[in-house]
Amino acid sequence: MQVRQRLENLSSELTATERKLCTALLLDYPYAGLDTIQDLAKKTGTSPPSISRFVTKLGFQGYQDFQRHLIDEIRQSNRSPLDLHVGDRPIQGDYLEDFVSRAVNLISASASAITSAQFERVCDLLGDEKRNVYLIGGRISDAIALYVSRHLRQVRSGVFHLPADPEIWPEYMLRMRSKDVLFMVDYRRYQRNLAELARRAKAQSGVQIVVLTDKWMSPAANHANEVFATPIESGTVWDSYSGAMVLMEAMLTRIAETNWDKTRKRIEAWDSLRFDHGARDDDQ
Amino acid sequence: MQVRQRLENLSSELTATERKLCTALLLDYPYAGLDTIQDLAKKTGTSPPSISRFVTKLGFQGYQDFQRHLIDEIRQSNRSPLDLHVGDRPIQGDYLEDFVSRAVNLISASASAITSAQFERVCDLLGDEKRNVYLIGGRISDAIALYVSRHLRQVRSGVFHLPADPEIWPEYMLRMRSKDVLFMVDYRRYQRNLAELARRAKAQSGVQIVVLTDKWMSPAANHANEVFATPIESGTVWDSYSGAMVLMEAMLTRIAETNWDKTRKRIEAWDSLRFDHGARDDDQ
DNA sequence: CTAGCTTTGATATTATTTTTTCATAGTCAA
DNA sequence: TTGACTATGAAAAAATAATATCAAAGCTAG
């Protein structure tokens, strides 16, 4: 029987340490198991005895027997490399797997809904250091705006995440110039006040507006210069933002790569300023 | 350099025994080399010392070093076709499309690194209304924690997102009970203070800890009851969290579906209470 | 909170694997 | 044929890896 399958079978009766091992093995399956027992122990923060007991529990004679099995598996599956990744998950109707395949569809659809010209235009806008960037999102989608602003801040200066409280918005609006960019994320259950913010910011300062929304198009999109629309229907009770997330990652990566030298220097400078008790410098 | 190639290069200056070894290695390449040195000696009718000398001649530190190389080679060659995109090769062609295929790859890998039993366990933990849930993430990854907490709050009560400032953590720690759940997101460039928080929360209240991290395993994972590990290497300048994101969406959806009636009522009640002009509810 | 149970890793022990040493066998030129 | 050399494997030694033991820590039910 496949090692992987044995892990599945036993996974209900594993101890904390054993689960940790299970996680590590599956994450880099099957190669993680080819390390020596000590190295694996160190990597997983467990101990050789625990590993030894674990593989015994899985039904092997000992660690070496376990490794022999893994090697055999590799040998077998060599003919169809894809097996390793997809084929041998035994459980039918596995929730996670099913969900993932839907998400993957969404993500592909998201990407193909955006032309590369538009993609480049928005990257240029947000990457342009001469423009300040203001970001905000809706109740849930603000998490995405936050993700973008945290990253963007590593690449460039002049990035401002607007707080949730509308009372404070005017303070930011007064600083917006017509070259600046207002980046809004607004998915359905649209928030009226975001559209209002867009309208007024546009009217007052002529700021450039980029909106990330779904196909029904947030009312804020009416005032936008650029609209990224991604599908969100996952066929479940919630909408899925994974398409938006990947799109944003692609955008951020593109921006960072475009001026990588500057970004690298900026990150280094930033790191040297980080307060020490909060950060580990050894990155691995 | 490939072992195979080294064999080629040296083939002119090999002794009789070495040629025998060379043949055997190539005949069942690269698996023959994964045997122990004794077994290989027996199979080839040579002796361990000869093999040891041979691999040294090939330029390795010793037999184990030689094996490590072979394993790496297998690892490389066994990558799925999609993985091949990911190498260090810069993205070419349509940027977005290529990025998406990398992300999809990461996402599938993330899912297959998690057993369905573990997935269910964590869903149960976070969905259990008898437990309070505390969430926090690192500098960047907190966006994911935020996303989870916003969603979770729609499903159930007793969800608390810890603020970034460690000064305020004790206030939350004092409220943690041993049944409660502390959910942490910590990806590389781990934050020391998160591990510290985990340690102390565990020591003080025996809270259940769930950690979402990468394969290098955040130090916080040492204190965890459950660890979700997702791959993050996208082959670009940034790590990609899309695997984590999809996993979280799957989890949230699962939780919401499990008690959908309650959730629906909760959302309705919530909506009727929202301040009408769209005020966004603050998170902390 | 405590008693009794399970889990865990430090240490010691044992087993295994690899390399070194060294004597012998083989090769080839004179 | 001899002597100088290389190649080879048996055996010993060293290095490395895996497991057993055991005390301590953790957990759970009462």
Side-chain angles (χ1 to χ4, degrees), chain A residues 75-121:
Chain A
R75 207 187 202 120
Q76 303 300 331
S77 64
N78 188 30
R79 271 146 220 127
S80 51
L82 274 177
D83 282 350
L84 272 183
H85 294 269
V86 191
D88 44 20
R89 285 182 64 81
I91 296 170
Q92 294 298 316
D94 181 61
Y95 191 90
L96 189 51
E97 201 178 327
D98 192 38
F99 189 96
V100 161
S101 77
R102 290 161 193 245
V104 163
N105 285 339
L106 266 188
I107 291 167
S108 313
S110 298
S112 60
I114 287 159
T115 68
S116 51
Q118 182 184 27
F119 181 73
E120 296 296 335
R121 274 200 312 276

Side-chain angles (χ1 to χ4, degrees), chain A residues 55-282:
Chain A
V55 296
T56 309
K57 197 164 166 184
L58 285 175
F60 298 101
Q61 295 302 321
Y63 193 70
Q64 306 192 342
D65 182 40
F66 166 73
Q67 291 190 315
R68 200 67 11 102
H69 273 258
L70 284 178
I71 290 173
D72 280 350
E73 278 183 23
I74 297 173
R75 207 187 202 120
Q76 303 300 331
S77 64
N78 188 30
R79 271 146 220 127
S80 51
L82 274 177
D83 282 350
L84 272 183
H85 294 269
V86 191
D88 44 20
R89 285 182 64 81
I91 296 170
Q92 294 298 316
D94 181 61
Y95 191 90
L96 189 51
E97 201 178 327
D98 192 38
F99 189 96
V100 161
S101 77
R102 290 161 193 245
V104 163
N105 285 339
L106 266 188
I107 291 167
S108 313
S110 298
S112 60
I114 287 159
T115 68
S116 51
Q118 182 184 27
F119 181 73
E120 296 296 335
R121 274 200 312 276
V122 174
C123 288
D124 287 348
L125 261 183
L126 292 187
D128 183 352
E129 284 228 50
K130 289 197 292 292
R131 306 168 189 274
N132 283 328
V133 176
Y134 300 86
L135 303 97
I136 190 170
R139 188 160 44 118
I140 301 266
S141 53
D142 195 50
I144 292 198
L146 186 67
Y147 185 75
V148 174
S149 57
R150 292 272 167 92
H151 266 291
L152 209 49
R153 211 168 278 171
Q154 298 208 309
V155 179
R156 49 162 292 169
S157 57
V159 176
F160 306 97
H161 192 123
L162 272 66
D165 181 2
E167 293 295 320
I168 312 176
W169 293 350
E171 192 181 318
Y172 291 87
M173 287 174 62
L174 287 174
R175 287 180 6 222
M176 291 180 193
R177 298 287 164 264
S178 69
K179 286 262 165 177
D180 293 349
V181 181
L182 174 57
F183 186 92
M184 311 181 92
V185 188
D186 193 27
Y187 282 91
R188 69 174 164 192
R189 321 230 95 202
Y190 309 113
Q191 293 190 210
R192 232 182 277 156
N193 54 7
L194 286 185
E196 183 63 10
L197 170 62
R199 191 185 63 73
R200 288 168 60 177
K202 189 78 185 179
Q204 189 185 305
S205 60
V207 71
Q208 305 284 307
I209 298 183
V210 180
V211 174
L212 177 63
T213 182
D214 53 63
K215 72 172 167 190
W216 295 279
M217 296 259 184
S218 149
N222 293 332
H223 311 283
N225 302 76
E226 300 281 354
V227 178
F228 276 156
T230 68
I232 53 174
E233 286 173 314
S234 64
T236 71
V237 295
W238 297 125
D239 291 330
S240 166
Y241 294 172
S242 42
M245 186 73 177
V246 172
L247 175 61
M248 289 297 100
E249 285 193 342
M251 183 183 82
L252 290 163
T253 308
R254 178 59 160 171
I255 293 171
E257 281 180 358
T258 304
N259 20 25
W260 179 236
D261 269 351
K262 211 195 255 170
T263 300
R264 193 171 39 73
K265 282 189 198 112
R266 190 176 160 83
I267 293 178
E268 276 160 13
W270 180 315
D271 275 352
S272 71
L273 288 174
R274 276 168 88 187
F275 292 96
D276 213 21
H277 48 272
R280 277 183 16 155
D281 295 293
D282 49 333

Side-chain angles (χ1 to χ4, degrees), chain A residues 4 11 19 27-28 75 94-95 137 139 150 154 164 189 191 193 240-241 249 257 270-271 279, chain B residues 28 75 95 112 116-117 121 139 150 154 189 192 215 225 240-241 249 257 270-271 278 280-281:
Chain A
R4 180 170 222 141
S11 66
R19 282 200 297 270
L27 191 64
D28 188 21
R75 207 187 202 120
D94 181 61
Y95 191 90
R139 188 160 44 118
R150 292 272 167 92
Q154 298 208 309
R189 321 230 95 202
Q191 293 190 210
N193 54 7
S240 166
Y241 294 172
E249 285 193 342
E257 281 180 358
W270 180 315
D271 275 352
Chain B
D28 186 20
R75 199 193 211 111
Y95 193 91
S112 64
S116 49
R121 273 200 312 276
R139 189 159 44 118
R150 293 269 167 94
Q154 300 208 309
R189 321 231 95 203
R192 231 182 274 155
K215 77 169 160 191
N225 300 79
S240 166
Y241 293 171
E249 285 194 340
E257 282 180 356
W270 181 315
D271 276 352
R280 298 183 328 149
D281 314 275

